[in-house]
Amino acid sequence: MTQAAKKSGPTAGNNKKTGSKSPTKKSRLIALLSRKKGCGIGVLTKELGWQAHTTRAAITRLRAEGMRVITSRSKAGLTNYQICKSLDGDGCN
């Protein structure tokens, strides 16, 4: 059996002890971006195991799905990403 076939079975992504599904990377991304101060690209790439361009593409997909993801820059020039809960921006910061 190939590696792809092993992973795509009915128990793919399940926790063997509890039988519950493990959180998807998309749900982990949303949780990280929902933090009060948001999250920088360095933290996102480390936590998700993705390269920076893959992480930015995933954020773009979230925006395409209707999530409001804002960006801000620190004085050092680093980009921070955050999901806003409200349309007027009150759910941010």
Side-chain angles (χ1 to χ4, degrees):
M1 186 180 290
T2 65
Q3 290 290 21
K6 288 180 185 176
K7 290 183 181 180
S8 64
T11 60
N14 287 352
N15 183 319
K16 290 182 181 181
K17 289 185 179 182
T18 64
S20 64
K21 276 196 151 188
S22 58
T24 63
K25 285 192 177 184
K26 179 180 175 181
S27 66
R28 289 173 51 206
L29 173 64
I30 292 170
L32 290 167
L33 295 176
S34 297
R35 291 178 177 176
K36 187 174 182 177
K37 297 287 185 178
C39 212
I41 196 77
V43 173
L44 292 170
T45 57
K46 183 177 178 183
E47 290 290 323
L48 299 170
W50 290 342
Q51 294 184 3
H53 67 276
T54 305
T55 306
R56 288 189 296 271
I59 291 169
T60 299
R61 283 191 300 274
L62 291 179
R63 287 180 173 138
E65 293 172 3
M67 289 195 176
R68 185 161 184 254
V69 182
I70 63 163
T71 59
S72 59
R73 290 219 182 244
S74 68
K75 291 181 182 180
L78 301 174
T79 303
N80 196 57
Y81 299 90
Q82 183 181 10
I83 289 179
C84 285
K85 304 292 183 200
S86 65
L87 293 175
D88 59 2
D90 287 340
C92 299
N93 299 335

